[in-house]
Amino acid sequence: VVQSDMHAHRKAYKSIMEAHEPHVNQAAIDQLKSISDRVNRWGEVERRNERTTAYWCRYAVGLENKMIGKKVRQITSNMDELMDLATEVNYHFQDLVMAWCPPGTFHIPGPVKRPLRSMQKATRRYRRDLACLTDLVRCTIVCNDITKAAQVLKVIVAKCSSDDKPQSTKYAAARSGMEDDIILRVHKIKNRFDPEYDDTTTAGYRDIA
């Protein structure tokens, strides 16, 4: 089953990459990589600063000084609270993302991840740390070619940051009411359309997450 899925996924990826002239596809791939690298670079800098702050806060109050890893964490590890928060923001999130979809793409809303599935993932990947679950609210934007994918990613990142500055600056301004149009923060981008990506780890499946 895995081999047949991999074959189908690789065939789909090949058809996407042959939808335009090589130089057009390459330009889109370069743009995806540039945006992803920029966001991930700033995201790592900000997470490093947050880990340092968390370390010294724990040291000051005499708590166990376990460093927070590279994983972005939720504000709570309580399952009921996480489900309530996810349910509360889901409708607004889906409506917002749908408005960002340019012509030639379409938005598929996803349901809030169920508690049982959330527990399974937290147990399998995060040593039962529920605060590491960051995909409780999700959706998909379907694009018919790689150039549309680059266009969508550019729009999303533009709504969350600009001018290669740390996104927390814009995010904090939005939360304080200074910038109502910027209310989301992109912490990390997984660019599986990168030709250097090892698709055997996902059975040939590729996307941008």
Side-chain angles (χ1 to χ4, degrees), residues 2-207:
V2 174
Q3 289 296 325
S4 61
D5 287 346
M6 181 177 291
H7 177 73
H9 289 149
R10 286 178 171 174
K11 184 178 180 180
Y13 178 67
K14 181 179 180 181
S15 65
I16 290 173
M17 297 309 298
E18 293 176 348
H20 295 287
E21 293 296 325
H23 72 280
V24 176
N25 288 330
Q26 187 60 51
I29 290 175
D30 291 344
Q31 186 176 31
L32 287 173
K33 181 174 177 55
S34 175
I35 295 173
S36 300
D37 289 348
R38 173 166 56 86
V39 170
N40 291 336
R41 183 171 60 251
W42 275 118
E44 176 56 30
V45 169
E46 296 192 330
R47 285 193 294 274
R48 189 183 306 122
N49 292 338
E50 290 167 1
R51 291 197 298 273
T52 302
T53 301
Y55 174 83
W56 285 111
C57 287
R58 287 189 169 98
Y59 178 80
V61 298
L63 298 178
E64 184 179 3
N65 56 3
K66 290 183 178 179
M67 293 293 287
I68 297 176
K70 294 183 178 181
K71 185 73 173 70
V72 175
R73 295 166 58 85
Q74 298 281 10
I75 60 174
T76 178
S77 59
N78 181 282
M79 176 61 79
D80 291 336
E81 292 179 359
L82 286 172
M83 290 295 107
D84 287 343
L85 289 170
T87 301
E88 182 180 351
V89 305
N90 183 56
Y91 174 80
H92 302 286
F93 173 79
Q94 304 296 348
D95 194 47
L96 184 65
V97 174
M98 182 171 61
W100 290 350
C101 292
T105 69
F106 61 93
H107 165 255
I108 302 178
V112 173
K113 182 169 287 188
R114 293 179 293 111
L116 177 58
R117 179 70 183 90
S118 300
M119 288 293 297
Q120 291 172 340
K121 183 172 183 179
T123 300
R124 186 181 73 252
R125 297 191 61 181
Y126 305 130
R127 299 182 180 180
R128 301 184 181 180
D129 186 354
L130 297 177
C132 290
L133 294 171
T134 54
D135 61 345
L136 300 178
V137 176
R138 58 269 175 88
C139 69
T140 299
I141 298 178
V142 179
C143 307
N144 57 13
D145 58 53
I146 195 71
T147 60
K148 286 293 184 182
Q151 183 180 352
V152 168
L153 185 61
K154 184 177 180 180
V155 169
I156 292 175
V157 173
K159 293 292 184 178
C160 303
S161 66
S162 64
D163 301 327
D164 291 345
K165 295 178 181 178
Q167 298 179 74
S168 58
T169 303
K170 305 286 283 184
Y171 182 70
R175 294 197 63 179
S176 66
M178 295 170 60
E179 297 192 37
D180 294 332
D181 61 325
I182 300 178
I183 59 175
L184 296 181
R185 178 179 176 184
V186 178
H187 292 276
K188 183 178 181 180
I189 296 176
K190 296 179 181 178
N191 178 19
R192 298 189 180 97
F193 280 112
D194 189 334
E196 297 180 3
Y197 172 72
D198 180 10
D199 68 351
T200 60
T201 61
T202 51
Y205 179 77
R206 291 176 182 263
D207 66 0

